[in-house]
Amino acid sequence: MKLYDVVAITIDLPNEHLKRGQVGTIIDQWDDDIYEVEFSDARTGITYAMLALKSEQLMVLYHQLVEQN
């Protein structure tokens, strides 16, 4: 995972009002395994959540063919 990757959360986070599958953008990396993710409304662009998450709580979304090595 890297800066500006589009990601989805893989678990529900009820305390943050986020459900599994919600999409955000990595905006910072705090540690090897911890990323700051911003969640914003697709229509208005207004941020509704921003929090640090472990890589195991995220999956990168791809919008193009990914070559296999």
Side-chain angles (χ1 to χ4, degrees):
M1 291 183 195
K2 61 187 183 311
L3 197 60
Y4 305 119
D5 274 352
V6 176
V7 295
I9 56 174
T10 60
I11 60 170
D12 290 336
L13 298 170
N15 292 342
E16 304 295 334
H17 306 287
L18 296 171
K19 291 194 173 277
R20 181 173 61 92
Q22 283 189 271
V23 176
T25 303
I26 294 176
I27 59 169
D28 207 346
Q29 184 173 357
W30 293 102
D31 201 356
D32 288 341
D33 195 39
I34 300 178
Y35 300 88
E36 184 82 13
V37 181
E38 178 182 47
F39 297 87
S40 56
D41 184 277
R43 288 180 296 144
T44 65
I46 296 172
T47 299
Y48 59 84
M50 192 174 342
L51 62 151
L53 296 165
K54 294 181 180 180
S55 62
E56 63 205 37
Q57 297 173 300
L58 301 168
M59 65 180 292
V60 177
L61 301 179
Y62 298 96
H63 301 279
Q64 70 279 341
L65 178 65
V66 178
E67 303 240 356
Q68 300 294 322
N69 292 332

